[in-house]
Amino acid sequence: MKIEHKIYLSNAVHIVLLLLIGIFALHNLNQLYTKFRFTAIADGLNTGFLEMRLAEKNYFLYRDQTALEAITTRINKTTTTMQKLKSDIIRAVGPASYAGLEQRLKNYRRMVAAIHQGERNSPGIRKQLRKAGQDLKIFSENITVLERKNVAKIINHSKTILLYSFWAVVLFALFFSQHTVRSIGGALRQIVALTRAISRGNYKSIDQKPSADEMGAVITAINTMANELKQREQEIIQSKRLASIGVLVAGVAHELNNPLNNISMIAQTYEDVYDRLGREERISFMNQIEEETERLRLIIKNLLDFSRPKEPRLAQSEPNHVIHKTLDLVCNMLEVSNIRTKLDLADVLPDFYIDEHQILQVLVNITTNAIQAMSSGGELTIRSRYLEKQDEVEFEIRDNGNGIPPEFLEHIFDPFFTTKEEGGTGLGLWISYGIVKQHFGNIHVESSVDGGTAFFITFPSCNKVKRCNNEE
Amino acid sequence: MKNNIMIIDDEKIVGDMAKLSLEQEGYEVETFLDGESALNRMEKKSFDVVITDLKMKGIDGLEVLRNVKHLYPDTVVIMITAFANLDVAIEAMRDDVQDFFPKPVKIKELKASIKKALEKKAG
């Protein structure tokens, strides 16, 4: 069932419940009104009956003839009242009680009439009259008492019913909201988890069959989106790859063209000025050609290193040991450039599983860049730390040099990208990137102009790649 | 009087070789490795022809061309580049470049271009 329909249904149930409660309350109020009206009437009647009995007593005590007339008048008046309010009284106490009352009143009237017509001295008749009067009064009073009790009963009854209805409404609301929250909440949690995974680049989808409600529709939409994103990302990666091949080809053309042009110009000039050249000068020309050829060879070698990477020769290694080896290799450069070095190495680090030669190449490369980015007196910071959550080892190489402008930052891993005034091939970071990726590691850079640059390189621990050798 | 020629290229060999060849033709040649020092030199000495590489660190060939055409409109500019790109060539043409040579440069063609430019300039 759709959530929309569930909400409609719950609202309908609530409305029906409230309507029932309302009808019930209205009915009870009506009943109470009738009963109260009757007790008011009954009070009047009772007063009438009481007056009849008082007159009756007067008659018996003082033989007062007027008293009998007073009783008759009272009886007539009461009869008229009862006739007038017949429907109200019947509604309140039922036709039987009305008939009983009428019957008793008639009886009483008959007695009074009998006495009036001369049977007054018969002791039997006096007793009968007294009994009829008493009977009438008691019957009337009983009805009144009973009705008062009924009123109390109706009020109690209403109280109970209203209390139960209140709990029924509350419980139903609780049950329904709980149910809705659980079904929406569960789906939302799944969606949140999924979107988190997607934002981390993990394009999985929710496998369980989506429900038929709106949340199911949302999950289906998100699944579709995840699949689309996955496809898009692959397309982007593909186009980036093509673009970087384009950059590579352009770079290769430029890099190869310069030494080729040099060789060509040397050859042309050699021919031009041959007659004016001495032996030494001719040899110098040829040496220059040799140097340019060497330059070409180096570019090609670097390219081949990257395009046909050698299978790394992996072995378990201590991260801090690799850092010390790096420092051994660059210590001359540090000394010449007058750079201070700050080491901040974690005491406890898991081993990692790497080709030490290649990782040294990466670290030396990045450290060399850092040294070249700083002027004399700069500070190089090298840190190692363990990222427990990812089970990875992280190296941080930070300089306080001139930093990389933001517009260059996204290109620093591109082939042939260099900001060095001279002598940079623009391949160092590109090659480093490839090596790190081959080790299932990651490399990223943070830099601000004049604030320096920090490279962060992470490698999985040997444990994470299941290559730990525990035979120590 | 000898014609003055300036060569700007961050590849030292380009300047050295062109200088040797052009001096043989009777030109006076000065070489520079970057645009900035070349422009500084132009403030002190005027040149008939400036041959500049396109892609250089700092002030690149197009900037040299614009500066020269703005400050010394009579000076002829010839551009050489390792990576010929049509857009850049068109931009250079718009800024009144005399010639545009892709590397590897044929020195004979370079010489011919210089000769033609100087003749045109002499009227």
Side-chain angles (χ1 to χ4, degrees):
Chain A
M1 193 194 261
K2 283 189 166 189
I3 293 170
E4 188 190 356
H5 295 154
K6 279 185 192 164
I7 291 173
Y8 283 148
L9 182 70
S10 115
N11 283 346
V13 169
H14 271 126
I15 289 168
V16 167
L17 273 177
L18 290 175
L19 264 177
L20 285 177
I21 293 169
I23 290 169
F24 170 78
L26 201 68
H27 171 73
N28 272 4
L29 279 178
N30 268 335
Q31 255 191 322
L32 280 177
Y33 175 74
T34 316
K35 300 285 181 198
F36 273 122
R37 191 166 155 68
F38 171 74
T39 46
I41 297 167
D43 280 344
L45 291 178
N46 283 339
T47 316
F49 297 147
L50 196 68
E51 277 170 9
M52 285 176 211
R53 301 241 42 214
L54 275 174
E56 182 194 313
K57 209 158 93 193
N58 283 344
Y59 171 74
F60 284 123
L61 280 177
Y62 312 113
R63 301 271 167 199
D64 185 356
Q65 280 302 316
T66 55
L68 274 182
E69 275 153 31
I71 294 173
T72 316
T73 321
R74 268 272 138 226
I75 290 171
N76 287 341
K77 230 168 120 182
T78 307
T79 312
T80 322
T81 312
M82 274 179 63
Q83 225 100 65
K84 217 160 70 188
L85 300 173
K86 186 178 175 185
S87 64
D88 281 340
I89 299 171
I90 287 178
R91 191 143 29 102
V93 296
S97 293
Y98 181 82
L101 198 62
E102 209 176 38
Q103 177 60 44
R104 281 171 178 75
L105 194 60
K106 254 186 202 155
N107 201 24
Y108 191 58
R109 183 204 287 272
R110 203 158 40 81
M111 291 301 146
V112 173
I115 290 170
H116 213 51
Q117 277 156 20
E119 292 172 42
R120 67 182 74 110
N121 292 326
S122 154
I125 201 92
R126 285 169 64 178
K127 213 175 171 180
Q128 273 179 30
L129 176 68
R130 203 171 283 152
K131 194 171 172 294
Q134 219 168 23
D135 204 18
L136 179 66
K137 190 166 175 287
I138 288 171
F139 185 75
S140 165
E141 273 171 1
N142 277 349
I143 297 176
T144 316
V145 169
L146 189 71
E147 284 313 294
R148 288 228 160 87
K149 271 188 192 153
N150 274 344
V151 167
K153 217 161 91 186
I154 289 169
I155 290 176
N156 272 335
H157 189 58
S158 313
K159 236 163 74 182
T160 320
I161 295 272
L162 285 175
L163 195 72
Y164 281 135
S165 321
F166 168 75
W167 283 117
V169 171
V170 167
L171 287 177
F172 179 76
L174 277 179
F175 165 78
F176 176 77
S177 48
Q178 177 75 8
H179 175 76
T180 317
V181 163
R182 200 181 299 154
S183 64
I184 296 179
L188 282 179
R189 269 192 293 281
Q190 274 186 314
I191 291 167
V192 168
L194 180 64
T195 46
R196 282 218 182 105
I198 290 173
S199 68
R200 282 194 301 267
N202 180 4
Y203 300 107
K204 61 177 184 185
S205 43
I206 296 174
D207 288 333
Q208 107 196 29
K209 194 173 168 285
S211 50
D213 60 14
E214 289 88 338
M215 296 324 284
V218 172
I219 288 175
T220 311
I222 288 189
N223 279 347
T224 315
M225 185 192 76
N227 288 335
E228 292 268 321
L229 278 175
K230 198 177 188 172
Q231 211 177 326
R232 291 281 150 76
E233 197 195 51
Q234 275 160 0
E235 284 168 15
I236 289 170
I237 289 173
Q238 186 58 28
S239 69
K240 268 195 174 168
R241 203 171 282 155
L242 288 175
S244 76
I245 290 174
V247 172
L248 179 67
V249 170
V252 169
H254 186 262
E255 290 300 306
L256 294 181
N257 247 340
N258 270 326
L260 276 178
N261 177 61
N262 289 346
I263 292 169
S264 160
M265 283 186 81
I266 292 167
Q268 292 176 64
T269 309
Y270 187 74
E271 190 190 336
D272 249 11
V273 297
Y274 181 83
D275 294 334
R276 280 167 48 203
L277 298 177
R279 183 178 179 274
E280 294 300 314
E281 285 167 312
R282 286 176 189 163
I283 289 173
S284 151
F285 265 65
M286 291 305 118
N287 283 342
Q288 286 190 71
I289 289 182
E290 180 57 26
E291 275 167 31
E292 291 303 304
T293 321
E294 177 61 19
R295 194 174 146 195
L296 283 169
R297 199 186 62 78
L298 204 70
I299 293 169
I300 291 165
K301 179 182 170 289
N302 271 339
L303 273 172
L304 288 180
D305 273 356
F306 196 72
S307 63
R308 266 206 321 248
K310 279 174 275 168
E311 270 304 300
R313 288 160 64 187
L314 299 164
Q316 190 170 339
S317 242
E318 276 178 55
N320 287 341
H321 170 73
V322 178
I323 288 184
H324 285 298
K325 268 196 157 175
T326 307
L327 283 172
D328 287 345
L329 288 168
V330 297
C331 67
N332 279 331
M333 229 189 300
L334 288 167
E335 214 165 290
V336 170
S337 311
N338 187 26
I339 304 282
R340 272 175 298 125
T341 311
K342 203 176 116 189
L343 271 187
D344 179 9
L345 305 182
D347 295 331
V348 184
L349 273 181
D351 286 353
F352 57 173
Y353 191 66
I354 53 150
D355 180 327
E356 195 175 281
H357 179 76
Q358 288 192 347
I359 299 307
L360 273 176
Q361 195 183 338
V362 171
L363 295 179
V364 167
N365 185 329
I366 290 170
T367 313
T368 310
N369 286 346
I371 293 169
Q372 287 171 349
M374 290 185 283
S375 43
S376 175
E379 187 177 81
L380 174 77
T381 309
I382 300 184
R383 285 198 183 91
S384 66
R385 64 173 81 89
Y386 177 49
L387 307 177
E388 208 169 332
K389 221 165 126 190
Q390 295 100 307
D391 195 12
E392 284 173 354
V393 176
E394 183 181 70
F395 294 140
E396 177 187 336
I397 298 173
R398 182 182 287 275
D399 66 59
N400 58 358
N402 31 34
I404 305 167
E407 66 268 27
F408 290 166
L409 211 52
E410 59 176 309
H411 296 298
I412 59 167
F413 295 112
D414 287 353
F416 296 112
F417 181 82
T418 176
T419 57
K420 288 177 195 165
E421 290 298 321
E422 52 187 81
T425 59
L427 291 175
L429 281 178
W430 186 53
I431 291 170
S432 299
Y433 184 85
I435 292 174
V436 172
K437 282 289 166 191
Q438 256 194 329
H439 283 80
F440 305 106
N442 233 318
I443 181 165
H444 81 272
V445 63
E446 285 172 12
S447 185
S448 63
V449 174
D450 295 332
T453 304
F455 277 88
F456 298 87
I457 313 156
T458 53
F459 295 103
S461 75
C462 62
N463 188 40
K464 194 177 180 183
V465 288
K466 310 233 165 4
R467 293 290 187 171
C468 278
N469 191 353
N470 291 323
E471 47 186 86
E472 297 165 33
Chain B
M1 204 183 84
K2 281 184 177 178
N3 286 111
N4 289 319
I5 296 180
M6 173 187 265
I7 301 167
I8 318 166
D9 197 313
D10 52 6
E11 293 282 334
K12 191 171 175 295
I13 288 175
V14 173
D16 291 351
M17 293 301 134
K19 186 176 154 92
L20 275 175
S21 283
L22 294 176
E23 275 175 349
Q24 179 141 301
E25 300 293 311
Y27 300 119
E28 201 166 283
V29 182
E30 287 188 31
T31 63
F32 294 88
L33 290 171
D34 63 283
E36 201 178 347
S37 56
L39 287 174
N40 285 340
R41 178 65 181 146
M42 273 185 248
E43 286 174 17
K44 297 195 184 74
K45 189 179 171 186
S46 76
F47 290 85
D48 298 303
V49 178
V50 171
I51 300 167
T52 177
D53 187 19
L54 174 67
K55 206 176 153 196
M56 292 184 292
K57 294 273 139 53
I59 297 176
D60 69 1
L62 279 180
E63 235 179 303
V64 170
L65 170 63
R66 264 176 226 133
N67 268 292
V68 170
K69 282 292 152 188
H70 180 64
L71 297 169
Y72 322 102
D74 285 343
T75 304
V76 172
V77 179
I78 294 170
M79 200 160 277
I80 50 179
T81 177
F83 181 57
N85 174 317
L86 194 62
D87 294 341
V88 178
I90 289 169
E91 209 179 319
M93 292 299 173
R94 215 170 266 151
D95 280 317
D96 203 14
V97 74
Q98 163 75 24
D99 243 327
F100 201 97
F101 290 106
K103 287 181 180 178
V105 176
K106 296 283 165 230
I107 295 179
K108 270 185 193 136
E109 290 173 18
L110 189 64
K111 281 179 185 166
S113 177
I114 293 169
K115 201 175 164 197
K116 206 170 103 193
L118 289 173
E119 277 168 10
K120 204 166 105 188
K121 207 175 147 189

